[in-house]
Amino acid sequence: MNSPSKSAKGKGKTMSQDYDDLRPIITYRHILSQNLGVRDPLRVIALCDSDAFYAACERVRLALDPTVPIVVQQWESLIAVSYPARKYGISRMDKIKDAKKKCPNLVAVHVATYKEGEKEPGYWDNVDTRTHKVSLDLYRRESSKIINVFKQTLPNGEIEKASIDEAFIDLTRPVREKLLERYPHLATVPEDAPDGADSPLPPPPLINWDQLGVLIPLTPQDEVSAQDELSNVESGYSTTWHDVALSIGAELMAQVREEVSKQLGYTTSAGIARNKFLAKLCASYKKPNSQVIDRQSILRNDAIPYYLRPMPFQKIRFLGGKLGDALAKEYDVLIVGDLLTISLDEMQHKFGENALWVYELLRGIDRNEVKEKSTLFKSMLASKNLPKPITDPADGQHWIRVLAAELALRLKDAREEVPTLWPKTIVLHARKGYETSRSKQAAFPFTKNVTVDVIALAGNKLWKELMKDVTSINITSVQLAFTGIEAAETGQQMIHGFFKTRDAQHPPLKRPRSNSDDPLDKGVESETPNPPERQELSLTSFVCERCHSRIALGDVRAEWNEEQRASALAMLRQEHEDFHFAQDLAGASHPIKPRSSKPVSTRSREPEPKGITKFFSKK
Ligand code: TTP
Ligand code: CA
Ligand code: CA
């Protein structure tokens, strides 16, 4: 299979065959349809990424001038470097000491931290990883604000948050509206159209790309000749209606980005193309090492081949890692163009059926939808790696309080968007080195006011249970998490309504006592809210309703009692659900291998992944 003759087989193919969908015929039916989804030939997707994000958040918080060189440090390392600071040759690789040498006027902000006794994270003197814990809350909050500006400015664009400083925006709908508004003759099929609604649209107008962004060149020659990148009308190039759609998308994105900058003070970089993969790729066109920020790049379909072919494919997000290594090794190649010579059959033979997805990606095809993630708050985890291990159980309380403060704040923030969010379960993990961790969980009490005290109390209870019968400890990492976070119904009846639904669904569940003073009495482990866990007291595996696989505990320790085994199984179930959740987020066509090797007290024994899946052991 590895023979060069086989790999070279496709070499006779012309480029137009490799990229044969760049100029689809667009008909009246296309432009008049509302729901073509990913098959829409006028699809326009943008990816918007904030420039030097954490550094920008701190600059805005401190009301500093955008020209001030500023970095954000975490302990001695840099995690974000503003563009003015990059001018001094400072990069994320530098230690703070060296950065200051390179730029004596550097403003260095240590990321906010939680410390015991403080309900809110703050900017303290003498932060120390032995006593403090990093807080990213400011950045999460600013991130939500940016997303909200997107939503306000583009009420009918679909928005999917992709990371703390990135979002995909599906501009197809707003673009279509503008297109029909601007070219009303497209809205009616002419009487003499030969094929009725299936007739092609009339020729598109010429586009003036000035002010719309950086046009990614169609050919390497253009790149050389168009030094200022904005040559509008290339000789011999005929505009398509998709180009017109992209140009309208670019207008909309320019407005959105201007709003973000005006309202919040952040500059962003965006990519605009026909799908998510290409939008993300071209958002960083010429970015990392240059000073080009606050701009958007536009990738026309006709520019796709020249853009993708010379690209080292391992730089592409999904093709880095093990899969990229395997491809490089298998075919002894470096760039996308080299891989185009490999037939689909050959790839599927080597990497399984799913290789279709890679095959298409190399050809600039990506069928993933832009989808708002409504389940964003499904779980929340606060964790701390301890530079100084806990050796005395009594010392755990300090960290539990710190972690509780973070969870309290994050839940409070989340409730600003969805006021009725309630975590059903609280989980505590403690890990020793890279060994398996121990964990305990309990139903979380229903309290409207989830304060640090309430969480710390619940956490401490779990800690005590975890430390029961333990003679010597050496904990190097603690994590406190809320899982099963759900929104209850709004309004006054919410509490009753919520419990009623649960009772109806799960008759054996005991209703939490509502007259107790101690909120924690309402939900200790004996009232685990998930009936299957209770039935599984003596089990060591379960069958997932979604993928129908049997998932088993990897190591069942002899010293575990029934309850511990049930708790381990519940964790495993949660982990497996999280895996499905992550997979849903990544889109069905990018399989992620279940996170089986995460160091929790259990190891899932997943069915051996097949084909391409095995190259995704890490996200
Ligand atoms: P990035 O978008 O990768 O980088 P950036 O926004 O700082 O710079 P650029 O203008 O090149 O996009 O990451 C967003 C934030 O995520 C970044 O400001 C800090 C944080 N981050 C880390 O904490 N560690 C990391 O290794 C990376 C890559 C990012
Ligand atoms: Ca960024
Ligand atoms: Ca980013």
Side-chain angles (χ1 to χ4, degrees):
M1 278 308 110
N2 198 12
S3 70
S5 63
K6 178 98 190 203
S7 307
K9 216 169 151 189
K11 281 231 163 93
K13 263 176 132 189
T14 64
M15 189 180 307
S16 61
Q17 277 171 304
D18 282 326
Y19 295 95
D20 56 5
D21 67 333
L22 303 179
R23 288 183 162 252
I25 294 173
I26 301 174
T27 65
Y28 288 91
R29 194 181 298 287
H30 285 134
I31 203 158
L32 297 172
S33 306
Q34 291 302 319
N35 291 312
L36 292 174
V38 298
R39 292 172 297 119
D40 195 326
L42 290 172
R43 213 172 166 230
V44 180
I45 309 293
L47 180 282
C48 190
D49 178 305
S50 301
D51 298 322
F53 186 53
Y54 292 4
C57 291
E58 298 298 350
R59 165 181 57 76
V60 167
R61 181 181 66 85
L62 297 167
L64 297 175
D65 192 89
T67 57
V68 169
I70 178 171
V71 295
V72 178
Q73 65 180 105
Q74 176 176 323
W75 321 127
E76 299 309 313
S77 305
L78 301 188
I79 53 174
V81 181
S82 72
Y83 281 79
R86 289 185 206 191
K87 273 199 185 140
Y88 292 85
I90 298 171
S91 83
R92 234 198 292 269
M93 301 300 151
D94 289 317
K95 292 279 174 220
I96 184 66
K97 207 171 68 214
D98 302 318
K100 282 180 176 162
K101 270 186 217 149
K102 288 181 184 173
C103 171
N105 304 330
L106 189 68
V107 178
V109 180
H110 193 285
V111 58
T113 51
Y114 289 93
K115 75 173 189 187
E116 193 183 359
E118 304 286 344
K119 285 200 167 65
E120 305 259 323
Y123 297 87
W124 324 106
D125 294 332
N126 307 323
V127 286
D128 188 333
T129 176
R130 287 169 300 182
T131 45
H132 293 60
K133 181 197 174 316
V134 166
S135 150
L136 303 178
D137 302 285
L138 171 71
Y139 315 136
R140 284 197 195 99
R141 250 181 236 155
E142 295 301 292
S143 172
S144 305
K145 286 188 198 164
I146 295 175
I147 301 275
N148 285 339
V149 173
F150 290 166
K151 286 186 182 159
Q152 285 156 15
T153 323
L154 276 173
N156 58 357
E158 191 74 24
I159 291 157
E160 175 186 319
K161 191 173 165 166
S163 78
I164 196 158
D165 77 331
E166 282 166 43
F168 286 106
I169 307 179
D170 189 335
L171 296 160
T172 313
R173 259 204 301 171
V175 161
R176 171 132 343 172
E177 278 169 21
K178 272 248 168 344
L179 199 66
L180 288 168
E181 198 180 292
R182 215 169 276 180
Y183 307 100
H185 63 290
L186 301 182
T188 352
V189 185
E191 275 178 16
D192 59 351
D195 293 315
D198 293 314
S199 311
L201 296 181
L206 281 180
I207 302 163
N208 182 356
W209 294 98
D210 286 344
Q211 319 295 324
L212 291 183
V214 176
L215 218 44
I216 294 185
L218 297 165
T219 65
Q221 292 89 312
D222 284 350
E223 187 146 24
V224 181
S225 59
Q227 276 306 343
D228 71 345
E229 295 154 335
L230 288 174
S231 72
N232 331 336
V233 188
E234 278 104 305
S235 52
Y237 176 74
S238 71
T239 304
T240 66
W241 278 109
H242 187 259
D243 294 342
V244 179
L246 285 175
S247 70
I248 296 175
E251 281 174 35
L252 295 172
M253 275 316 289
Q255 287 164 13
V256 170
R257 294 177 43 251
E258 176 64 25
E259 277 308 306
V260 170
S261 155
K262 231 170 52 194
Q263 293 185 27
L264 304 169
Y266 298 111
T267 66
T268 52
S269 293
I272 302 159
R274 69 174 179 182
N275 59 40
K276 288 170 86 173
F277 163 62
L278 294 171
K280 163 86 185 164
L281 208 56
C282 74
S284 51
Y285 181 59
K286 293 195 173 163
K287 196 178 179 187
N289 303 320
S290 67
Q291 286 286 317
V292 243
I293 51 156
D294 192 13
R295 65 159 202 188
Q296 52 190 39
S297 306
I298 304 153
L299 182 65
R300 289 163 297 171
N301 290 356
D302 276 314
I304 294 171
Y306 287 106
Y307 182 56
L308 282 187
R309 284 182 148 252
M311 195 167 285
F313 61 83
Q314 286 177 283
K315 290 244 170 84
I316 296 177
R317 185 157 62 133
F318 303 111
L319 302 182
K322 286 196 211 171
L323 177 60
D325 288 346
L327 284 166
K329 204 166 144 217
E330 180 70 31
Y331 302 112
D332 191 21
V333 288
L334 287 174
I335 59 169
V336 170
D338 298 335
L339 283 174
L340 294 175
T341 62
I342 294 146
S343 71
L344 177 60
D345 277 357
E346 154 77 16
M347 264 199 195
Q348 287 187 315
H349 183 85
K350 270 269 132 57
F351 297 98
E353 288 295 304
N354 277 327
L356 174 63
W357 158 68
V358 175
Y359 182 86
E360 292 191 326
L361 215 55
L362 299 168
R363 285 155 181 81
I365 300 167
D366 172 18
R367 300 174 203 278
N368 278 299
E369 285 176 70
V370 175
K371 259 205 205 131
E372 185 169 359
K373 299 169 191 169
S374 50
T375 31
L376 259 180
F377 301 123
K378 218 180 154 187
S379 63
M380 270 172 206
L381 178 98
S383 82
K384 173 73 191 179
N385 289 327
L386 304 165
K388 184 171 163 271
I390 300 175
T391 46
D392 178 351
D395 293 343
Q397 320 262 332
H398 162 77
W399 287 114
I400 284 169
R401 261 205 97 69
V402 169
L403 298 173
E406 176 170 354
L407 286 184
L409 188 73
R410 285 178 61 186
L411 189 67
K412 187 170 146 253
D413 280 353
R415 280 179 169 177
E416 246 148 57
E417 274 173 56
V418 187
T420 58
L421 286 179
W422 175 45
K424 281 188 285 181
T425 313
I426 181 166
V427 189
L428 175 76
H429 294 264
R431 195 176 68 209
K432 179 183 157 192
Y434 288 101
E435 288 176 18
T436 51
S437 81
R438 298 165 57 91
S439 69
K440 272 278 168 197
Q441 66 170 333
F444 192 72
F446 186 86
T447 30
K448 193 153 168 281
N449 204 2
V450 181
T451 59
V452 184
D453 292 333
V454 172
I455 304 170
L457 198 57
N460 279 329
K461 240 178 190 179
L462 294 174
W463 177 262
K464 273 185 206 135
E465 286 177 43
L466 207 59
M467 294 302 138
K468 209 160 56 189
D469 313 322
V470 175
T471 44
S472 87
I473 61 162
N474 184 22
I475 307 281
T476 56
S477 153
V478 262
Q479 304 182 320
L480 196 61
F482 282 146
T483 61
I485 304 176
E486 276 179 14
E489 292 156 31
T490 39
Q492 265 302 86
Q493 319 98 319
M494 148 187 147
I495 300 172
H496 300 290
F498 189 74
F499 285 126
K500 227 180 258 150
T501 337
R502 289 199 57 78
D503 285 355
Q505 270 170 357
H506 308 301
L509 235 195
K510 249 169 58 190
R511 183 188 294 251
R513 275 177 285 134
S514 52
N515 54 355
S516 160
D517 288 327
D518 177 4
L520 292 178
D521 279 352
K522 294 173 191 168
V524 286
E525 206 162 78
S526 59
E527 285 181 349
T528 314
N530 217 345
E533 290 160 23
R534 300 197 58 74
Q535 290 154 14
E536 280 164 356
L537 270 183
S538 55
L539 296 179
T540 56
S541 70
F542 67 92
V543 176
C544 168
E545 293 89 23
R546 282 193 62 177
C547 64
H548 307 290
S549 318
R550 176 162 288 280
I551 313 295
L553 286 172
D555 68 77
V556 180
R557 290 198 232 141
E559 74 272 15
W560 279 358
N561 61 28
E562 290 297 87
E563 208 182 344
Q564 282 168 318
R565 201 188 337 232
S567 158
L569 197 62
M571 277 309 302
L572 183 61
R573 187 186 274 278
Q574 182 66 48
E575 231 194 18
H576 188 76
E577 276 172 15
D578 287 349
F579 148 67
H580 278 299
F581 179 60
Q583 202 176 36
D584 291 345
L585 296 187
S589 54
H590 307 156
I592 300 167
K593 189 179 170 290
R595 294 174 304 143
S596 54
S597 51
K598 195 168 166 256
V600 290
S601 61
T602 55
R603 256 181 235 126
S604 50
R605 202 183 295 133
E606 294 293 340
E608 190 51 30
K610 289 206 189 81
I612 219 165
T613 316
K614 63 171 171 277
F615 296 102
F616 288 85
S617 59
K618 270 192 200 149
K619 209 191 130 193

